[in-house]
C-alpha cells in the first residue's frame, strides 16, 4: 500500500505535464481512483457494439479508451432514440500533428460514423499563445488552420462537423457562457486543479473557462438554437480530466446538464511509457509528416525496448512487454488481434527478437502515416473554410 501511495504521489498528470516515476509507468487505476471517474468495462464495450451494430473498435476492446464519466447516460439517450452531440479539441502549437494527437480524432471519427451525430472541434489557439512564449497571435492562427487540415484528413463529415478557432469564434453566446463559468471558478480552484501559481501571468488564469462552453449547446446557436439542454459527450485523453471535472462541477450551477466523457490512455513517448509523446521534444515523437525513412530511423534509434541485452539472454528470458514501446504502439495501431497476440507471445518467450518487432511496427506506422499524408494532400483551403464556417448543419442528425 505504501508503495502504491508513493507511486501515485510521484505521478504528475495535468493538461500541461505528464510524468511517472523514473523507470516506471503511469498507473491508470490510480488515476481513476484519484480523479473519481469510472472504468470502461466489458459491459459498456459490448453495449456500444450492440447499439451501433458495428464491431468493437480496437481502442475499446484493448482498453485504450479506458475511463468515462456518465457514458451510460449517452448510451441510454441513443437507445431511446434521443440526440446528443460530441466535443473534442486540439491545442495547435506545432506545424502538424504527431501520432499521439491522432488518437482522439481517430476515435471521434469512429463515434461520428456509428452514432451519426454532430461534432464541434475547438482549436485553442488562444491557450497556446498564452502558454508558449515564442508564439505570436498571427502564428497561432496559422497553426490552427494547418492543424485543421490534419483533422479534416481524418475523414470527418463536413455536414456534421464544425471546427472553430477560439481567436476567431469566441463571442456572443459562447462568451456569455465563458463568463458564467469564470464566475463559479475561484483562484483556489485553479491553483488546486491546474497547478496555477502566483508567478503565472493572468493569461493562464483566464483560459480554463474558455474550454468549458463547447460542452454547452447554447454556445452554438447556429447549430442548436432552441435545444440548449442537448447532452454533450467529450472525447479526450485523461490529462484533460482536470478541465472536465471543472466543467461538470460548474454546469448545474449555471443551468446546464453535466457533459459525459470518454477518456484515453496516453500515447507514450518513444523513450518510454513514463511520459506522453510531446510536440516539444522531436526525439519523443513521430509526426504525420515524417517519411518512411524518418519513421524507421526514429523507431530503430529511440523506441525503448523490453528485450534483453544479448540474443542469448533474450532467447532465455524473453522480453518485458510492460515496458516495451514497440509493443505499446502496436496495441494502438495494429488492427489484427490474432497477429498482435502472436507477436506478444513469441516476443515474451524469446522466440521473436526486438529487431523483428520494430520491423513490423515500422511497416504499420509507415502505412498509417502515408495514408494520412495522401488524405491531407486532398484538403484545400476552401475545405478548411467550409468546416470552419459559422453555419447551421441541417443534416447533422440525418
Amino acid at each position: 500500500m505504501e508503495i502504491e501511495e508513493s507511486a501515485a504521489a510521484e505521478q504528475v498528470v495535468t493538461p500541461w505535464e505528464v510524468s511517472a516515476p523514473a523507470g516506471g509507468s503511469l498507473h491508470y487505476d490510480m488515476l481513476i481512483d484519484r480523479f473519481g471517474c469510472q472504468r470502461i468495462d466489458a459491459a459498456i464495450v459490448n453495449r456500444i457494439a450492440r447499439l451501433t451494430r458495428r464491431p468493437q473498435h480496437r481502442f475499446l476492446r484493448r482498453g485504450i479508451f479506458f475511463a468515462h464519466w456518465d457514458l451510460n447516460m449517452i448510451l441510454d439517450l441513443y437507445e431511446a432514440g434521443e440526440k446528443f452531440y460530441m466535443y473534442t479539441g486540439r491545442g495547435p502549437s506545432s506545424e502538424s500533428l504527431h501520432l499521439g494527437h491522432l488518437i482522439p480524432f481517430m476515435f471521434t471519427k469512429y463515434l461520428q460514423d456509428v452514432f451519426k451525430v454532430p461534432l464541434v472541434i475547438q482549436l485553442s489557439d488562444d491557450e497556446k499563445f498564452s502558454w508558449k512564449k515564442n508564439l505570436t497571435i498571427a502564428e497561432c492562427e496559422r497553426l490552427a488552420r494547418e492543424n485543421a487540415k490534419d483533422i479534416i484528413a481524418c475523414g470527418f463529415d463536413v455536414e456534421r462537423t464544425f471546427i472553430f478557432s477560439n481567436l476567431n469564434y469566441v463571442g456572443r453566446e459562447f462568451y456569455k457562457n465563458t463568463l458564467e463559468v469564470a464566475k463559479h471558478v475561484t483562484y483556489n480552484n485553479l491553483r488546486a486543479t491546474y497547478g496555477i501559481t502566483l508567478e503565472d501571468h493572468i493569461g493562464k488564469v483566464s483560459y480554463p473557462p474558455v474550454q468549458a462552453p463547447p460542452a454547452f449547446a447554447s454556445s452554438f446557436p447556429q447549430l442548436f438554437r432552441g435545444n440548449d439542454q442537448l447532452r454533450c459527450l467529450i472525447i479526450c485523453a485523461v490529462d484533460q480530466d482536470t478541465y472536465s471535472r471543472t466543467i461538470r462541477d460548474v454546469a448545474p450551477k449555471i443551468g446546464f446538464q453535466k457533459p459525459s466523457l470518454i477518456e484515453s490512455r496516453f500515447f507514450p513517448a518513444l523513450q518510454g511509457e513514463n511520459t506522453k509523446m510531446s510536440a516539444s521534444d522531436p526525439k519523443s515523437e513521430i509526426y504525420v509528416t515524417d517519411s518512411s525513412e524518418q519513421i524507421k530511423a526514429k523507431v530503430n534509434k529511440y523506441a525503448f525496448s523490453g528485450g534483453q541485452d544479448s540474443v542469448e539472454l533474450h532467447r532465455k528470458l524473453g522480453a518485458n512487454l510492460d515496458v516495451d514501446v514497440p509493443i505499446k504502439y502496436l496495441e494502438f495501431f495494429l488492427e489484427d488481434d490474432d497477429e498482435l497476440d502472436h507477436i506478444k507471445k513469441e516476443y515474451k518467450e524469446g522466440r521473436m527478437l526486438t529487431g523483428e518487432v520494430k520491423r513490423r511496427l515500422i511497416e504499420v506506422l509507415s502505412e498509417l502515416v502515408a495514408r494520412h499524408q495522401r488524405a491531407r494532400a486532398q484538403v484545400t483551403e476552401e475545405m478548411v473554410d467550409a468546416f470552419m464556417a459559422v453555419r447551421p448543419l441541417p443534416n447533422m442528425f440525418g
Side-chain angles (χ1 to χ4, degrees):
M1 179 62 73
E2 290 181 3
I3 294 175
E4 288 186 358
E5 290 177 355
S6 174
E10 292 181 39
Q11 289 192 146
V12 177
V13 178
T14 73
W16 307 289
E17 181 182 359
V18 175
S19 64
S25 298
L26 291 161
H27 294 267
Y28 289 100
D29 286 336
M30 292 182 186
L31 290 181
I32 287 176
D33 292 339
R34 188 167 115 199
F35 293 160
C37 47
Q38 298 89 44
R39 177 168 289 282
I40 295 176
D41 57 18
I44 291 179
V45 175
N46 291 334
R47 187 182 184 198
I48 292 172
R50 176 176 59 82
L51 290 176
T52 62
R53 299 180 182 179
R54 296 282 288 271
Q56 297 173 358
H57 194 284
R58 66 177 182 275
F59 289 172
L60 286 172
R61 66 180 186 262
R62 295 177 187 167
I64 290 168
F65 275 82
F66 74 105
H68 73 99
W69 291 91
D70 293 339
L71 180 57
N72 274 315
M73 289 189 178
I74 292 292
L75 299 180
D76 290 344
L77 285 175
Y78 183 77
E79 191 163 22
E82 300 295 328
K83 297 177 175 60
F84 66 94
Y85 76 101
M86 301 189 298
Y87 158 35
T88 192
R90 158 84 182 123
S93 59
S94 58
E95 196 78 25
S96 65
L97 308 188
H98 60 56
L99 293 183
H101 295 141
L102 277 186
I103 303 303
F105 293 114
M106 292 172 70
F107 189 63
T108 302
K109 166 65 165 61
Y110 154 79
L111 293 176
Q112 187 180 63
D113 287 347
V114 299
F115 288 114
K116 296 187 172 18
V117 293
L119 165 69
V120 297
I121 300 175
Q122 180 183 51
L123 298 175
S124 54
D125 42 7
D126 54 342
E127 176 201 20
K128 294 307 176 184
F129 174 72
S130 293
W131 283 85
K132 300 289 184 179
K133 294 181 180 180
N134 61 326
L135 289 179
T136 64
I137 286 180
E139 180 67 359
C140 289
E141 290 181 304
R142 187 187 72 81
L143 291 176
R145 284 187 68 89
E146 290 304 307
N147 282 198
K149 293 173 185 177
D150 276 320
I151 294 168
I152 293 167
C154 291
F156 292 107
D157 184 348
V158 70
E159 294 191 352
R160 292 193 174 97
T161 307
F162 173 49
I163 302 174
F164 66 97
S165 147
N166 283 349
L167 287 173
N168 289 289
Y169 180 74
V170 171
R172 298 184 180 178
E173 300 307 314
F174 192 107
Y175 187 57
K176 291 177 186 177
N177 286 337
T178 300
L179 292 177
E180 290 281 5
V181 172
K183 198 171 184 178
H184 289 82
V185 179
T186 68
Y187 187 71
N188 281 337
N189 293 148
L190 286 178
R191 292 179 65 186
T193 306
Y194 303 105
I196 300 288
T197 69
L198 293 174
E199 287 71 37
D200 286 319
H201 62 73
I202 62 174
K204 294 183 179 181
V205 176
S206 65
Y207 175 71
V210 183
Q211 190 152 337
F216 310 138
S218 65
S219 301
F220 306 100
Q222 77 277 16
L223 302 179
F224 308 124
R225 187 176 300 278
N227 201 358
D228 290 354
Q229 294 302 318
L230 187 67
R231 188 105 188 181
C232 177
L233 173 63
I234 301 173
I235 303 96
C236 60
V238 72
D239 60 332
Q240 300 298 304
D241 193 271
T242 49
Y243 281 127
S244 304
R245 277 178 280 139
T246 299
I247 297 171
R248 285 173 54 83
D249 179 63
V250 170
K253 298 176 183 177
I254 61 176
F256 295 115
Q257 295 190 69
K258 292 183 178 183
S260 298
L261 280 91
I262 185 165
E263 300 178 328
S264 72
R265 288 160 33 194
F266 300 115
F267 189 69
L270 284 164
Q271 287 83 355
E273 204 184 19
N274 62 325
T275 186
K276 67 176 182 177
M277 187 173 276
S278 170
S280 62
D281 181 3
K283 295 180 181 179
S284 77
E285 70 226 349
I286 293 173
Y287 279 105
V288 296
T289 51
D290 284 349
S291 67
S292 59
E293 286 304 310
Q294 288 174 312
I295 293 170
K296 179 180 179 180
K298 288 181 179 181
V299 169
N300 283 332
K301 185 174 183 178
Y302 297 117
F304 187 82
S305 169
Q308 304 301 327
D309 292 337
S310 68
V311 172
E312 182 181 10
L313 198 59
H314 185 83
R315 297 294 190 196
K316 179 180 178 181
L317 301 177
N320 179 358
L321 303 189
D322 291 337
V323 299
D324 193 89
V325 168
I327 289 294
K328 303 294 181 185
Y329 282 22
L330 287 172
E331 288 177 342
F332 276 86
F333 295 123
L334 181 60
E335 180 64 37
D336 191 319
D337 289 341
D338 291 336
E339 183 183 359
L340 179 62
D341 290 342
H342 174 75
I343 291 173
K344 284 183 171 181
K345 185 175 186 295
E346 295 297 294
Y347 191 36
K348 184 176 182 179
E349 295 182 2
R351 290 186 291 272
M352 182 176 278
L353 300 177
T354 296
E356 296 174 279
V357 178
K358 286 189 174 183
R359 187 158 51 246
R360 182 64 181 117
L361 174 62
I362 291 165
E363 292 173 352
V364 170
L365 295 186
S366 296
E367 180 182 346
L368 169 73
V369 170
R371 186 167 61 247
H372 181 87
Q373 290 172 357
R374 290 193 296 270
R376 193 187 192 281
Q378 302 301 312
V379 178
T380 64
E381 293 295 338
E382 290 75 20
M383 290 173 66
V384 176
D385 290 340
F387 272 91
M388 299 186 76
V390 179
R391 68 206 190 279
L393 298 175
N395 300 316
M396 61 185 174
F397 291 113

